Amino acid sequence: MSKHVTQPDKHGHFGPYGGMYVPETLMAPLTELADQYAKARRDASFRKELAYYLRQFVGRPTPLYHAARLSKELGFTCYLKREDLCHTGAHKINNSLGQVLLARRMGKKRIIAETGAGQHGVATATVSAMFGLECVIYMGKVDMERQALNVSRMRRLGATVVAVTAGQQTLKEAISEAMRDWVGNVASTHYIIGSALGAHPYPMMVRDFQSVIGREARAQVLKAAGRLPNWLIACVGGGSNAIGLFHPFLKDAKVRMIGVEAGGEGIRAGKHAARFAQGKLGILQGTKTFVLQDQHGQIMLTHSVSAGLDYAAVGPEHSQLRDLGRVEYGYATDVQAMEGVNALCRLEGILPALETAHSVGYLLHHRDRFRKKDLVIINLSGRGDKDVQQMEAWDAERGGAR
Amino acid sequence: MTRIDKRFAALKKEGKKGFVAYVTAGDPSLDDTMDIVLRLVDVGVDVVELGIPFSDPLADGRVNQESANRALDSGTTPVGVLDMIARLRTQTDIPIMCYTYLNPYHAVGYAKMIKRTAEAGVDGLLFLDMPVEESRELNVLMKANGINNITLVTPTSPEHRIKSIVEHASGFVYCVSRAGVTGMQKTLSEGAADLVRLTRKHVNLPVALGFGVSTPELAAASARAADAVVVGSAIVNQFHQAGTSPKGRKAAAAWVGQMVNAVKEI
């Protein structure tokens, strides 16, 4: 295997990152999960079942769309990997589906999950409904307010949505609450983490389930353009859509990659979620990675207009890919993300999620670094219906885009 | 021999059970914690367990989470807690252990923090999010600095894990009486006594049983099944409800005293 294709060791270490930093109560269930996943991955019937539901239920493969007008505006060729066209409107369901199939194999009757923007919660509520499993979603109270549409969708799908009122009431607190539930209910329950973070085997497993994005995109771009892309770009919260796109291209040494974090209101303490811009090595919620924290090791407040990127730690594999120099990480601010939303709406007729819009915003503001003949694949990770109210409020406050 | 080792040796000699009392350091302030600890000593607890507050305590239930928040809101830092313990050491020789998460130690540096912990007069340390697989560096540091490595054994730990967990344990082994986060409950879980027996099969250290102990009856039942009982959330809750007046404090301490007595009468 090429040195650039990152794989964790037995306990989930990606070089100095990752690992299993959880209470002892969770060690046996996590070990069991890792074993079961390893078996399922080798099992042709599991892969066949997953492929079937990805095709017939999720609607894969998603198109790789040549964004002609965006390309003209930016001055280089852009393709959009249309994960927004997945059932439920984002890439999240690739992982929820894989994990729910695994949970069924393990005989679990109850599914829990955290959610930030609500897309992972909706995807998990959806696959739980499809298989008739009880589903409980933990969501920060602040996120429930800013992503009210997704709360309604989850409840309609039969999930119980639990408001988390601890701390800053966003994704981080929702993860802690879901872990507490799991600690108390490990025998009956599978915890579907929604991003490539947390303790082993989650970062690896979530990456594997999301890698369908990159595998498809690689074949599609070769067919459509007859060559590999020069660049891949994706937004990074925990980093699941990004790692899903990037991983199948890691061995293609000439394909360069950019992960875009949430720059929020700018790189000042508490005003952003750009872990690589201001974070330090730390341990949070099961994994060792870059974490926004103060000098005493307390986790800092974060801010982003997008609930899905508003998290203090980044998935551990991204930390390793950054160290290896294989992927570079930048950020887009709230303002730049909103510019990305508007550009994609007007140029391509596509309303992206606020998370996704960070990638577009980054390209708009860094277009000079790309050459005219470059081919860029943007991971269009989700659609923006859930964010319409927030976008309206943004415009109302700032005399916005109309 | 740490103060914890000595206390358990003495308890064994007397044929008595031990009582470990937990409070969060800095709730509502570090000066209050000094006062509370001295009151706990007065009512006869054997070991004081001080939580070093962390912003994201994922193994803790609501009571301890809110307690940690109050401590952080009052400006409590890990180093501040250790300095407070050093001050306490001029007034009491009670065995003290700390309970925390890895990140506050990692942020400053493990070697530096462990040295400082030992210098403050701390006898034992428990990291909630450090399974045996991730413990090598800290095991070495704690041993070199004469700090007991207090490890958790839980109802989900299979026997082969218990065996490797207790390999590095010292002071006592902390058996968690139920799968779940910290917090109060009414009865002793089935299986708690079995877990203690299984643990004793692999280690010759005292075993304490805890998580969810909230009444004198449950404290006694837990202590009977093990060598000591750990009471946490219930004490945190009691002191929080009692407020900061000397009268309230006295009543809260007396309430703990009743639990201690129930354990000592066994």
Side-chain angles (χ1 to χ4, degrees):
Chain A
M1 195 161 288
S2 151
K3 70 183 167 124
H4 288 305
V5 179
T6 42
Q7 284 296 347
D9 71 10
K10 189 168 145 238
H11 294 298
H13 298 100
F14 293 91
Y17 308 106
M20 301 175 91
Y21 295 91
V22 292
E24 169 60 21
T25 310
L26 288 181
M27 285 306 292
L30 283 168
T31 307
E32 160 81 2
L33 180 60
D35 291 349
Q36 290 290 333
Y37 172 61
K39 276 190 198 128
R41 188 156 69 159
R42 289 192 302 266
D43 182 344
S45 71
F46 178 81
R47 293 200 304 267
K48 202 174 150 194
E49 191 182 20
L50 178 60
Y52 169 80
Y53 285 109
L54 284 174
R55 189 173 65 246
Q56 299 296 345
F57 187 71
V58 175
R60 305 204 70 91
T62 60
L64 184 74
Y65 176 69
H66 176 225
R69 295 189 68 216
L70 179 66
S71 298
K72 197 170 168 210
E73 163 68 25
L74 289 171
F76 48 85
T77 302
C78 288
Y79 280 82
L80 308 175
K81 181 57 177 164
R82 296 293 307 274
E83 292 301 295
D84 60 319
L85 295 178
C86 288
H87 178 42
T88 68
H91 71 290
K92 292 292 186 188
I93 197 163
N94 301 326
N95 168 52
S96 296
L97 182 64
Q99 287 201 46
V100 86
L101 293 176
L102 193 59
R104 272 161 54 87
R105 277 172 75 102
M106 293 170 70
K108 307 284 181 177
K109 304 278 182 240
R110 181 172 174 269
I111 299 294
I112 60 170
E114 85 296 341
T115 196
Q119 287 302 121
H120 174 59
V122 168
T124 301
T126 297
V127 297
S128 299
M130 184 181 52
F131 287 114
L133 300 170
E134 183 191 348
C135 179
V136 178
I137 305 291
Y138 290 92
M139 189 170 191
K141 195 157 165 281
V142 167
D143 288 342
M144 285 178 74
E145 282 157 19
R146 56 179 168 172
Q147 308 278 208
L149 174 71
N150 277 343
V151 176
S152 299
R153 292 169 76 195
M154 287 183 266
R155 288 185 170 147
R156 185 67 57 191
L157 288 158
T160 302
V161 182
V162 180
V164 179
T165 55
Q168 69 176 99
Q169 309 186 8
T170 58
L171 180 58
K172 173 165 66 72
E173 290 75 22
I175 292 174
S176 286
E177 210 50 40
M179 285 182 126
R180 290 183 189 111
D181 179 318
W182 203 34
V183 167
N185 299 290
V186 286
S188 67
T189 300
H190 176 64
Y191 175 21
I192 302 188
I193 288 187
S195 196
L197 42 84
H200 181 68
Y202 285 106
M204 174 185 76
M205 184 169 70
V206 175
R207 174 199 76 197
D208 290 350
F209 287 135
Q210 292 295 358
S211 291
V212 66
I213 302 171
R215 286 197 305 275
E216 283 178 10
R218 195 172 181 282
Q220 287 166 322
V221 74
L222 287 173
K223 196 169 172 200
R227 66 181 179 102
L228 287 170
N230 302 89
W231 297 90
L232 306 174
I233 185 164
C235 64
V236 180
S240 71
N241 90 80
I243 202 75
L245 175 65
F246 295 168
H247 206 263
F249 288 93
L250 286 176
K251 61 186 181 304
D252 301 313
K254 285 191 175 154
V255 178
R256 298 173 70 183
M257 305 172 191
I258 303 171
V260 183
E261 297 186 285
E265 293 170 8
I267 307 303
R268 301 189 307 280
K271 298 293 183 191
H272 67 96
R275 290 67 46 105
F276 289 131
Q278 212 173 40
K280 285 184 310 192
L281 186 61
I283 296 158
L284 180 64
Q285 295 179 328
T287 194
K288 188 185 265 189
T289 185
F290 276 77
V291 179
L292 290 167
Q293 56 185 312
D294 70 13
Q295 58 172 323
H296 305 295
Q298 307 297 348
I299 308 308
M300 292 215 295
L301 298 182
T302 53
H303 163 81
S304 169
V305 67
S306 65
L309 303 185
D310 197 353
Y311 181 65
V314 65
E317 190 167 3
H318 286 289
S319 292
Q320 190 186 24
L321 288 168
R322 180 174 178 260
D323 278 4
L324 293 171
R326 185 65 188 92
V327 181
E328 64 172 285
Y329 294 83
Y331 61 86
T333 62
D334 289 350
V335 173
Q336 291 167 354
M338 282 303 299
E339 288 169 9
V341 168
N342 293 327
L344 209 60
C345 280
R346 279 141 199 239
L347 293 168
E348 297 294 343
I350 295 168
L351 171 65
L354 281 169
E355 290 77 16
T356 309
H358 282 70
S359 303
V360 183
Y362 180 92
L363 289 176
L364 288 168
H365 282 267
H366 296 86
R367 63 180 88 188
D368 293 346
R369 63 177 296 189
F370 301 94
R371 297 164 306 173
K372 193 165 177 293
K373 60 179 182 181
D374 279 353
L375 192 164
V376 180
I377 295 178
I378 304 169
N379 197 2
L380 205 74
S381 54
R383 71 180 188 218
D385 306 47
K386 69 186 175 66
D387 298 318
V388 175
Q389 280 176 325
Q390 221 192 331
M391 292 170 186
E392 288 290 321
W394 175 279
D395 287 354
E397 256 174 56
R398 294 164 181 82
R402 242 165 315 224
Chain B
M1 285 264 279
T2 68
R3 296 177 190 84
I4 293 173
D5 296 325
K6 286 178 195 154
R7 179 60 62 103
F8 274 102
L11 284 167
K12 193 174 179 185
K13 219 171 183 180
E14 296 162 19
K16 293 280 184 195
K17 303 289 187 175
F19 192 100
V20 182
Y22 171 90
V23 288
T24 309
D27 173 20
S29 77
L30 287 172
D31 285 342
D32 286 296
T33 302
M34 285 186 72
D35 177 51
I36 290 169
V37 169
L38 294 172
R39 289 175 189 276
L40 291 172
V41 174
D42 286 344
V43 298
V45 308
D46 296 293
V47 177
V48 171
E49 181 181 7
L50 289 173
I52 298 177
F54 178 49
S55 54
D56 295 83
L58 62 82
D60 281 295
R62 196 79 199 178
V63 169
N64 283 357
Q65 285 175 50
E66 285 171 1
S67 176
N69 284 341
R70 289 191 294 272
L72 291 171
D73 287 346
S74 74
T76 305
T77 64
V79 166
V81 173
L82 298 177
D83 290 347
M84 181 271 293
I85 293 169
R87 290 199 299 281
L88 258 177
R89 276 287 171 240
T90 62
Q91 299 178 59
T92 176
D93 217 28
I94 190 87
I96 294 177
M97 62 175 281
C98 289
Y99 163 113
T100 192
Y101 294 79
L102 285 169
N103 205 51
Y105 272 66
H106 184 268
V108 178
Y110 289 150
K112 199 171 155 189
M113 278 298 279
I114 294 294
K115 184 161 174 275
R116 197 150 180 173
T117 303
E119 285 166 359
V122 173
D123 303 293
L125 253 176
L126 166 58
F127 291 104
L128 270 295
D129 53 354
M130 183 180 76
V132 64
E133 286 80 356
E134 305 287 359
S135 67
R136 193 177 309 159
E137 186 179 355
L138 280 159
N139 287 341
V140 172
L141 285 168
M142 279 191 252
K143 196 164 186 189
N145 285 274
I147 296 174
N148 286 148
N149 186 359
I150 315 292
T151 56
L152 289 175
V153 169
T154 73
T156 57
S157 310
E159 189 167 358
H160 70 89
R161 284 195 64 80
I162 295 177
K163 222 171 143 180
S164 66
I165 290 167
V166 299
E167 219 171 277
H168 303 285
S170 59
F172 65 93
V173 177
Y174 188 155
C175 277
V176 174
S177 57
R178 68 194 162 98
V181 295
T182 58
M184 297 167 275
Q185 61 175 30
K186 296 218 165 57
T187 55
L188 185 62
S189 315
E190 288 171 38
D194 291 338
L195 187 63
V196 172
R197 269 194 293 275
L198 195 57
T199 304
R200 279 182 175 150
K201 196 176 134 188
H202 295 286
V203 70
N204 200 13
L205 286 172
V207 176
L209 198 54
F211 268 43
V213 180
S214 58
T215 62
E217 295 74 33
L218 192 50
S222 302
R224 205 170 285 127
D227 301 301
V229 60
V230 187
V231 184
S233 304
I235 296 178
V236 170
N237 192 45
Q238 201 63 221
F239 277 100
H240 176 57
Q241 299 296 337
T244 52
S245 71
K247 201 178 152 209
R249 283 271 157 82
K250 206 175 158 194
W255 183 87
V256 178
Q258 286 175 12
M259 289 188 122
V260 175
N261 291 340
V263 167
K264 296 296 171 186
E265 279 163 13
I266 296 169

